[in-house]
Amino acid sequence: MSVNPWLPIVVLGVLAAGFAIVSVVASRVLGPRRTTGPGLDPYECGVQPVASRPGQRVPIRFYVTAMLFILLDVDIVFLYPWAVNSTAFGLFGLVEMGLFLVPVLVAYTYVWRRGGLEWD
């Protein structure tokens, strides 16, 4: 008796869909029915929202923070598998990871020197 190789994938898909449906239904049933004034206000990192004109510029610090987050996120995605299996790659893997980290460290140093990590 052989098991279909797609069975685990189908079971995982059914479990994921079931979890999503149960979560949405549970939040509707158990969640609060009335919203209060503070619950309707937008929240952005502790900064009070201000009404802005359509052509008003956004401070560059928001973009720098987002870009730095994405940079470090991608870095972790590539560093984790290398760290788990670094012995199999040997010296070649070490050199390649060093070459990968140089631009990341240059970008991080640039942002740090320009004051992008300081919040006034």
Side-chain angles (χ1 to χ4, degrees):
M1 178 172 99
S2 68
V3 177
N4 188 349
W6 291 97
L7 183 64
I9 296 172
V10 170
V11 169
L12 183 64
V14 168
L15 284 175
F19 179 76
I21 291 169
V22 167
S23 297
V24 169
V25 169
S27 70
R28 290 276 183 196
V29 171
L30 302 174
R33 300 276 190 277
R34 288 181 287 143
T35 55
T36 60
L40 297 173
D41 288 341
Y43 178 76
E44 297 180 8
C45 303
V47 178
Q48 289 295 327
V50 294
S52 62
R53 295 186 310 265
Q56 188 176 5
R57 292 182 177 241
V58 177
I60 192 70
R61 289 183 187 259
F62 291 111
Y63 295 113
V64 170
T65 304
M67 294 290 280
L68 191 62
F69 175 75
I70 291 170
L71 180 74
L72 294 176
D73 232 16
V74 170
D75 190 31
I76 295 298
V77 166
F78 285 111
L79 275 175
Y80 184 75
W82 175 78
V84 168
N85 202 12
S86 62
T87 56
F89 298 127
L91 182 62
F92 176 75
L94 180 64
V95 170
E96 288 297 320
M97 191 51 64
L99 290 174
F100 173 72
L101 286 177
V102 166
V104 171
L105 292 176
V106 167
Y108 181 73
T109 305
Y110 173 77
V111 170
W112 185 11
R113 299 285 301 241
R114 296 283 301 204
L117 300 177
E118 297 175 10
W119 292 94
D120 297 338

